[in-house]
Amino acid sequence: MSAEGQPVVGYVLKMYPRFSETFIVSEILAREAQGERIVIFSLRPSTDTRFHPELARVKAPVVHVSRPNTANRFWQHLSLSGEDPLVMAGLRDCLPELLRHSPDDAVQAVSLARLAREHGVTHLHAHFASVATTVARLAGRIAGLPYSFTAHAKDIFHEDVDQLELEQKFAEAHHSITISGYNLADLRRRFPAATSCLKLVRNGLEMERFPYAPRSSAAAGPASAGTPRLLAVGRLVEKKGFHLVIDAVARLRDAGVAVKADIAGDGPLAADLQRQIDRLELQEEVRLLGPRTQAEIRDLLGTHDVFVAPFVVGRDGNADGLPTVLLEAMARGIRCVAADVTAVGEVIRTGETGWLVPSGDTVALTNAVSEAIRTDSAAAAEHRRLTDNARALVEELFDSRRQAAALRALVTASRTVAQDPLREEDLAEGALL
């Protein structure tokens, strides 16, 4: 505990700030709004060139944990850490394990242990079960601090994930968190003995930043002159499946249905997607907008008619968990068409909150978009019912205030593996979704 008797949570992040990880900023803001003290530790310098304005609201100090690149600097780091008797004792105890890790992870764990004590941190929490959790776990052992982490998607589904190391992280954590019922069930199936303290805490949204503004196709802006406008958002990587949006627009055009699509985001597939647009002669119908801030995405969600999320499972096993932008779209009141991977079916349900289609099925995607852009009166009423339901679902399950309260309770709770009242609640919630 801090001098005031309150926990001080050290957030351990591979890189902070990171343009694509808006959910972490929202989480920190919500926890700070409820009075928690937070210190942010970044293991890598940010390489992003654009930043969200919400970053300016974060009060937590940001501490960059450096990686010495010379023997002299390495020795300076070690000597500095050795000045703290507790860290020195922990370092001696953990040395055999530190030697099994990469130099970067080991040295940063030692530095993090020292820095956490200097900042009065009482609990370490990492996002993603990869390098950040590796360093947090080792630093926690050295400094005698409990650690926890949030498991998302790539860090648990990718083919390169070390299953034994992941199991160890779950087994030794004060508690661990995952963001969907799908993940919860999958991880408990894969690691039944190590996930007794695994909890379901969904990513949160600041609901007031995403006002509900349902719109019909007739409300399209002047630029589209009544032509339905689709929006897709995310990094331009395989698992987003954006090539399927382009194929769907081509199919609709060939069927005589006018539609336009904007794809916001940046990534390694930008050139491939542009070539696909050119090959299909869709330059007038499909635009790649490049990266956009969360505020700009919020505005785009208010000026387009249908949000399309054609997720796929990558060839390396990588898949999206439950992308924040899909929740933002549901909150804003735009009709949503999404493909069924991992936890997407927990929020997008055909006939209830949108259109859920099989992943990789272009025909089904095209048909769902056709339904979503209908403009007859019967369709308008049905579309309003779906967006009302979608907004209500997000308000019920993804309000960041609820998320912050749950995270705070977990930090202050005792680690009780044998009797875990939240476990049954998690299972019950997952079963309902």
Side-chain angles (χ1 to χ4, degrees):
M1 298 291 176
S2 68
E4 297 79 22
Q6 296 296 319
V8 180
V9 180
Y11 264 66
V12 185
L13 306 171
K14 181 178 180 181
M15 182 184 296
Y16 180 89
R18 197 164 203 177
F19 193 73
S20 61
E21 294 176 353
T22 56
F23 54 90
I24 293 177
V25 176
S26 295
E27 178 179 308
I28 291 172
L29 288 171
R31 296 185 76 162
E32 288 187 332
Q34 295 192 8
E36 286 200 81
R37 290 183 54 193
I38 289 173
V39 180
I40 300 170
F41 297 100
S42 177
L43 303 179
R44 304 286 188 273
S46 179
T47 57
D48 290 329
T49 57
R50 302 193 70 192
F51 300 97
H52 301 285
E54 285 71 28
L55 282 173
R57 296 166 48 208
V58 174
K59 299 174 183 174
V62 180
V63 180
H64 292 280
V65 184
S66 61
R67 290 183 294 167
N69 54 9
T70 66
N72 185 50
R73 289 179 61 83
F74 167 77
W75 203 247
Q76 288 176 345
H77 273 251
L78 202 58
S79 299
L80 197 58
S81 298
E83 292 177 2
D84 184 327
L86 188 146
V87 172
M88 191 63 198
L91 179 56
R92 280 197 297 268
D93 291 342
C94 295
L95 187 58
E97 179 164 9
L98 288 172
L99 294 174
R100 291 196 291 270
H101 287 268
S102 73
D104 280 350
D105 290 352
V107 173
Q108 287 199 299
V110 175
S111 295
L112 176 60
R114 172 178 57 82
L115 292 166
R117 282 179 49 77
E118 288 179 359
H119 287 79
V121 167
T122 60
H123 184 105
L124 294 169
H125 182 75
H127 265 282
F128 295 97
S130 43
V131 61
T133 300
T134 297
V135 175
R137 185 182 75 82
L138 293 172
R141 288 198 60 189
I142 295 169
L145 293 173
Y147 80 94
S148 56
F149 65 99
T150 301
H152 290 269
K154 182 179 182 181
D155 53 329
I156 55 177
F157 296 133
H158 195 280
E159 63 183 1
D160 290 342
V161 172
D162 184 324
Q163 301 298 310
L164 291 177
E165 185 179 359
L166 180 58
E167 184 173 29
Q168 183 182 28
K169 290 171 179 173
F170 280 118
E172 296 183 4
H174 174 271
H175 64 272
S176 52
I177 294 164
T178 195
I179 60 167
S180 71
Y182 178 94
N183 285 8
L184 185 74
D186 178 68
L187 291 168
R188 284 180 172 169
R189 176 187 58 78
R190 290 159 58 188
F191 309 110
T195 51
S196 298
C197 292
L198 174 64
K199 313 296 182 188
L200 169 60
V201 180
R202 303 177 191 280
N203 285 343
L205 290 186
E206 289 185 295
M207 299 304 301
E208 60 274 16
R209 285 204 290 122
F210 298 94
Y212 184 52
R215 39 186 282 118
S216 66
S217 296
S224 60
T227 301
R229 303 175 69 190
L230 315 181
L231 178 66
V233 179
R235 274 183 47 78
L236 307 185
V237 294
E238 182 186 13
K239 66 180 179 180
K240 299 297 183 183
F242 290 140
H243 64 288
L244 298 171
V245 176
I246 300 171
D247 283 342
V249 172
R251 285 175 174 270
L252 289 167
R253 178 200 56 188
D254 295 345
V257 179
V259 67
K260 294 181 179 294
D262 288 329
I263 301 174
D266 198 6
L269 296 184
D272 289 345
L273 293 172
Q274 187 58 57
R275 280 192 288 272
Q276 182 185 4
I277 293 168
D278 294 341
R279 175 171 51 80
L280 294 172
E281 299 181 341
L282 289 172
Q283 296 90 342
E284 297 296 321
E285 287 82 8
V286 182
R287 298 186 301 171
L288 301 181
L289 301 181
R292 291 290 187 270
T293 66
Q294 194 175 39
E296 290 170 332
I297 295 300
R298 178 193 59 208
D299 294 341
L300 289 170
L301 290 170
T303 57
H304 288 68
D305 301 293
V306 178
F307 184 78
V308 186
F311 308 118
V312 298
V313 178
R315 285 163 291 187
D316 55 6
N318 194 11
D320 260 315
L322 192 53
T324 303
V325 70
L326 178 59
L327 305 176
E328 294 170 353
M330 296 171 67
R332 287 286 279 142
I334 183 173
R335 286 153 271 160
C336 293
V337 175
D340 189 11
V341 299
T342 64
V344 174
E346 294 176 18
V347 296
I348 297 297
R349 306 163 189 160
T350 299
E352 295 182 36
T353 58
W355 290 262
L356 184 68
V357 301
S359 178
D361 189 334
T362 308
V363 173
L365 181 70
T366 306
N367 292 339
V369 170
S370 296
E371 285 290 317
I373 62 176
R374 285 174 54 199
T375 57
D376 56 273
S377 57
E382 173 66 4
H383 293 168
R384 179 59 186 265
R385 185 182 68 82
L386 297 180
T387 58
D388 285 353
N389 289 343
R391 171 74 188 195
L393 180 67
V394 173
E395 287 181 350
E396 178 186 357
L397 296 181
F398 297 95
D399 189 318
S400 62
R401 291 166 293 194
R402 169 179 170 151
Q403 175 198 29
L407 295 175
R408 181 187 181 96
L410 288 170
V411 168
T412 55
S414 299
R415 188 179 191 273
T416 52
V417 175
Q419 294 182 340
D420 186 356
L422 288 179
R423 181 182 176 98
E424 296 308 317
E425 292 179 12
D426 292 342
L427 286 172
E429 186 177 18
L432 289 172
L433 294 172

